[in-house]
Amino acid sequence: MARISYRLPPLPISVLVVSLLFYQSAGLNSEGQYLLDIKSRIGDTYNHLSNWNPNDSTPCGWKGVDCTSDYNPVVWCLDLSSMNLSGSLSPSLGGLVHLTLLNLSFNALSQNIPGEIGNCSSLEFLYLNNNHFESQIPVELARLSCLTALNIANNRISGPFPDQIGNLSSLSLLIAYSNNITGPLPASLGNLKRLRTFRAGQNLISGSLPSEIGGCESLEYLGLAQNQLSGEIPKEIGMLQNLTDLILLSNQISGPIPMELSNCTYLRTLALYDNKLVGPIPKELGNLECLKRLYLYRNKLNGTIPREIGNLSSALEIDFSENELTGEIPIELKNIAGLSLLYIFENKLTGVIPAELTTLENMTKLDLSTNYLTGTIPVGFQHLKHLIMLQLFGYIPSGVQHCKPLVQLHLAVNGLGGSFPSDLCKLANLSSLELDQNTFTGLIPTEIGQCHALQRLHLSGNYFTSELPKEIGKLSQLVFFNVSTNSLTGVIPAEIFSCKMLQRLDLTRNHFVGALPGEIGALSQLEILKLSENQLSENIPVEVGKLSRLTDLQMGGNSFSGEIPAELGGISSLQITLNLSYNNLTGPIPAELGNLVLLEFLLLNDNHLSGEIPGAFDKLSSLLGCNFSNNDLTGPLPSLPLFQKTSISSFLGNKGLCGGPLGNCNESPQLSSHPSDTKGTSVRLGKIIAIISAVIGGISLILIIVIIHFMRRPVDMVAPLQDTPPSSLVSDIYFSPKDGFTFQDLVVATENFDDSFILGRGACGTVYKAVLRCG
Amino acid sequence: MAHLYLLSVFLSLLLSISPSLSSNSEGNALHALRSRLSDPTNALQSWDPALVNPCTWFHVVCDSNSHVTRLDLGNSNISGTLGPELGQLKHLKYLELYRNDIGGKIPKELGNLKNLVSMDMYGNKFEGEIPKSFAKLKSLIFLRLNNNKLSGSIPRELTTLKELKVFDVSNNDLCGTIPVDGPFASFPMESFVNNRLNGPELKGLVPYDFGC
């Protein structure tokens, strides 16, 4: 873009030509030098400024640089926005005295804005926003009398606005949000007659809004949200005839809402929420015919909602919630035809919900909850086609304490809040109080001890905190006590065990610590005991075993340590579940747990239990599910069919469990059908039998070898018949003569032991047949 | 005068039966049960039929739809008899009446409890037969009727109860044979001891009810 510089004085053209010829051989001009100096302090990762060549005579062709297009071109525009530039801004900037537009926004430039910028006396538009500039706004900046737009938003600028800022008489746009600007707003701001937009939200600005602000007669948008403004809103604010948006939310502004605001007839958005404003809502606000959004919530406003609010014919959103407004909801609100959002929750409104509200056809969100409204909910709400939210919940009205005959008060699953209504214990007949699943907060008060008739107390699913009061022990009739899913802390008070009638005690999902007192054994009527998901520690007291009516015992998800007491096996009524999982229990699983013949679910996983699963668990005939995973257990699973059918995930993470889904154990097979009460005996017996069998087998084998050996030798020792004459045989044989025959008779009968009389040969000799005469 | 008299009679009749005129049938059933039972330890004291449902009564557990799912009255020194109204508790899963002094016959209407998972009536004085209608208890897993004075035979129809895992009728006066089909194949002998049973049924050879 070319512009004619107005500073060049008119000269004869000849002089000009001579000057040009004279100087054409000179180097880069001074503005170029300044720019090079600026470049030298800038980090240019992507080489955007690569064409900033020192050999050029002027910088006018350089990227981001614009010059005028007359005889003596000067830099009027420097736009280096969004170039990933880092580093600092050189004071040489001050040399660019012809600069009207300087845009360095959306980079990563840091350190301070040089005061030399005050020399850029032509500057009209200064955009330094979205960088990392720090330190203070230089006082010299205030010399820029031509400056119309100043944007330093999203930097790290600290310190206050300089008092001299009022000298920026041309300033129309002052944008400084998201910095660390401190200190009070200078009164001189009121001198900025041309200021239309002033946005300085998200800073650390303190002090009060100066009354001089009324001098900013052009002001349309005033945004000072999220600062530390204090003091009051000056009534001079009403002087701002052009004001369209007043955004003062999230400050510490106190005092009343000035009724002079009603003079700002063009006001469209009034956001004063999250401050400390007091006093009433001025009825004059109803005059603001252009007002579309009125946000006064989270203050300390009191008084009634003025009927005149119904005159806000342009209103789309009205939010008066979280104040201390009293009185009734004015029916005049029905006149705001375009009203889409109406929030008046958390006030002290009384009276009924006007049926006229049902004519507001554009209503999308209506929240009147947590007031003291009475009467019925108008049926007409059902015709509001665009309604997406309707909230009408509240507190328990304190009048309930007068309902003397009240026996049962069941308010579960509502949106009730506030603290526990201790007045309820004035109801002498109250036997059942159910407040579960609401949003009650605070502590359970000591007054609870006065509810003498109370048998059922259900407080689960709220936000109760602090410790259980000792006075709980005074509730001698208490049978059901459920405070699960709250944020209760401290130890379980020993006094609770004075409630001897307790059948069901549920403390699940709180932050209870310490040990479970042995006095638990005194609760002889207890059927259900649920303590899961707390931080209870130390040993499980053996007295739990005395709870002879217990059907359900849930202690998982705590820090219980030590061993599982064998006494738990004495709870013969235990049927629903025995859950000791996710604790720090050590030692063996007591075999006595096998006596729990009614037990359906046994969960011991995620502890440090060791040893074997007792064989006695074969007696758990009612078991439907179990989990022993993540322990240090070894040995075979019991033979109970349930263990064989249970998924392997119930046993994983142990030392050496085997059997069932884990695969066969290496023990002798017949042992699994002989359940024995003492662990290890069956293993040892198997080993003994194996050894004996081996020994017997070995000895037998040796004997067989020896016998075979001996059988072979006599065969070799028998002399062959041909070698030895019969006579030597006769002389070697001796036998005692029998009656009736002599040896001589034998010699004759066998013809001197002739071969024809041989019957056979054996190891002991040769057998001859001799027939002897009788006689 | 006569009108007044009639009116007062009508009103007093109305008042006398009104405690049972709760709109909740399960509460009525349990209230009827209570009227048959003798309860010296006042376990049933909280059973107030004027309440909208029995879910706040002690020893009664309901589900999220306010239907009774558990009745825990084991070991409660209760005597008297049961009646047919218990069969109306259609969502009942656990009927725990063990170790009391309840006598009389087991009502056949208990067979209507189609969601029943566990029936523990052991250790009482029940007499008469085990109802054949128990074959309708298709969800039943645990049936413990041991230690009573039950007589007659074990209904063969019970072999159709596929989910039955534990069956104990020991210590009764049962006769006949022990079924062997279905779940009965896996019940240990201890479940049948101390009766007058003739051992397992011999299929095809001996008539089922022989000697009973």
Side-chain angles (χ1 to χ4, degrees), chain A residues 408 410 432 434 455-456 477 479-480 503-504 525 527-528 548-549 551 572-573 575-576 597-598 600 620-624 642, chain B residues 43 45-46 51 55-61 70 72-76 94 96 98-99 117-118 120 122 141-142 144 165-166:
Chain A
Q408 290 195 348
H410 290 181
S432 178
E434 291 185 14
Q455 292 179 320
R456 272 177 227 89
Q477 305 293 315
V479 177
F480 291 175
Q503 291 180 12
R504 298 184 198 169
Q525 301 297 309
E527 294 178 4
I528 294 176
S548 58
R549 308 185 69 88
T551 59
S572 52
S573 52
Q575 183 177 30
I576 302 172
V597 288
L598 294 181
E600 295 179 3
L620 297 174
S621 49
S622 301
L623 211 58
L624 297 177
L642 171 87
Chain B
Q45 189 182 32
S46 66
L51 297 173
C55 298
T56 54
W57 296 1
F58 303 148
H59 310 291
V60 172
V61 176
R70 284 191 71 106
D72 279 293
L73 290 171
N75 261 323
S76 299
Y94 288 85
E96 307 298 311
Y98 58 86
R99 294 223 195 90
V117 159
S118 168
D120 285 317
Y122 58 88
I141 301 178
F142 307 109
R144 290 178 269 241
K165 248 176 61 99
V166 174

